Amino acid sequence: MSSIRQIIIFLGAPGSGKGTLSRMCVDKLDWKQLSTGDLCRQHVQAGTEIGKEIDFTLKSGTLVRDSVIIDMVAQWLATQVQDADSVILDGFPRTVVQARSFIAMMDGSFENVTLKVYQLIVPDSEIVKRLSSRVVCSNKECQAIYSERLLGSSEWHTKKCDVCGHSLVKRNDDTVEKIHARLVNYHHHIEQLLEYYRNIGCQVIDINADVPTEEIFQEILYYERITQ
Ligand code: ADP
Ligand code: ZN
């Protein structure tokens, strides 16, 4: 029997802070995080069959096929989360097809689990700035997130990851062109996703995420207290 009480979806554009916020929730609240982006990059790095199939898609900044993502999520949920109180979905579901499959999965395996969506809202102009200055840990088991703006535009090359000591790199989809493609993709799907959540009666909480992550975290804590 799984002990999961709630599943929390962090919905937001690329660079809205889902990853950094998720890590904070994992460290401070002992939640579990499923990042489909991290999982995809792990597959590519490990050279699995899935990794070979999705390598080009990831580089181009477009979405991986729904069925591939849904299988990955199902496998992760079945093997990784037995003892978690709260599970964060970071970067999933990204399409209504994924959301529908996920709800069907929940009906089968997580009957009494609450589903809640936090929507992280950041203006596109800020997203472009954040992503074009983002650097990440090169260790695919870690993938901690840093900012060139904070580390210094030449200093980050020599800096090591605080978590695991590996070097830092730029993601190959964080170029201006691909950031634009990812944002277009995001806006294309978001309205349909929000409508789907409204239709199934799932709570969607809007959060201003154009503030430091610590403030976003405090706001999440506040909503967690009042929605217990
Ligand atoms: P970002 O949110 O910054 O685009 P992610 O790390 O969440 O970055 O995702 C990186 C890439 O992984 C996406 O551009 C896409 O190719 C793939 N991906 C991740 N999650 C999904 C998903 N739920 N559906 C389809 N593709 C996904
Ligand atoms: Zn690291």
Side-chain angles (χ1 to χ4, degrees), residues 78-113:
T79 54
Q80 306 284 320
V81 295
Q82 300 310 320
D83 57 348
D85 168 81
S86 302
V87 174
I88 305 164
L89 302 181
D90 160 9
F92 174 87
R94 250 184 234 211
T95 64
V96 172
V97 171
Q98 291 179 16
R100 276 213 187 91
S101 306
F102 180 67
I103 297 294
M105 227 186 272
M106 277 187 73
D107 282 348
S109 320
F110 301 105
E111 268 174 28
N112 298 315
V113 175

Side-chain angles (χ1 to χ4, degrees), residues 10-221:
F10 283 161
L11 189 65
S16 56
K18 304 183 297 285
T20 310
L21 180 66
S22 299
R23 279 160 195 266
M24 211 174 245
C25 295
V26 168
D27 290 346
K28 300 191 176 185
L29 305 175
D30 211 20
W31 290 0
K32 280 243 161 70
Q33 171 199 13
L34 167 63
S35 159
T36 43
D38 285 356
L39 266 189
C40 286
R41 284 182 289 275
Q42 282 167 9
H43 274 283
V44 171
Q45 168 96 355
T48 63
E49 283 307 309
I50 291 179
K52 285 180 203 147
E53 184 192 326
I54 67 177
D55 188 16
F56 180 75
T57 311
L58 251 69
K59 284 191 185 124
S60 68
T62 52
L63 292 185
V64 171
R65 276 196 297 128
D66 286 326
S67 59
V68 171
I69 295 286
I70 291 160
D71 288 350
M72 258 185 211
V73 171
Q75 195 191 6
W76 187 90
L77 284 171
T79 54
Q80 306 284 320
V81 295
Q82 300 310 320
D83 57 348
D85 168 81
S86 302
V87 174
I88 305 164
L89 302 181
D90 160 9
F92 174 87
R94 250 184 234 211
T95 64
V96 172
V97 171
Q98 291 179 16
R100 276 213 187 91
S101 306
F102 180 67
I103 297 294
M105 227 186 272
M106 277 187 73
D107 282 348
S109 320
F110 301 105
E111 268 174 28
N112 298 315
V113 175
T114 311
L115 183 68
K116 196 191 285 168
V117 179
Y118 285 109
Q119 186 183 197
L120 307 186
I121 299 171
V122 179
D124 280 3
S125 54
E126 171 63 15
I127 293 287
V128 173
K129 278 191 219 152
R130 284 189 193 179
L131 291 183
S132 45
S133 65
R134 175 163 74 178
V135 281
V136 295
C137 174
S138 58
N139 172 8
K140 294 289 180 284
E141 296 301 318
C142 175
Q143 303 192 42
I145 301 158
Y146 299 88
S147 166
E148 197 183 322
R149 281 192 283 179
L150 298 176
L151 298 175
S153 55
S154 46
E155 286 83 350
W156 74 263
H157 293 277
T158 50
K159 165 121 174 79
K160 302 287 180 214
C161 174
D162 294 333
V163 182
C164 73
H166 280 67
S167 56
L168 306 183
V169 290
K170 280 204 159 268
R171 262 173 53 173
N172 55 18
D173 58 353
D174 278 345
T175 61
V176 174
E177 196 180 63
K178 286 165 191 168
I179 292 168
H180 183 70
R182 282 149 67 207
L183 272 173
V184 168
N185 230 321
Y186 173 74
H187 289 298
H188 175 74
H189 289 285
I190 187 69
E191 291 308 323
Q192 292 166 11
L193 269 174
L194 287 171
E195 189 184 339
Y196 176 74
Y197 292 133
R198 270 194 295 275
N199 286 343
I200 63 167
C202 173
Q203 194 180 13
V204 178
I205 301 165
D206 285 352
I207 303 276
N208 171 21
D210 193 10
V211 295
T213 315
E214 180 59 38
E215 278 178 45
I216 307 173
F217 178 68
Q218 292 303 328
E219 196 159 348
I220 300 279
L221 283 186

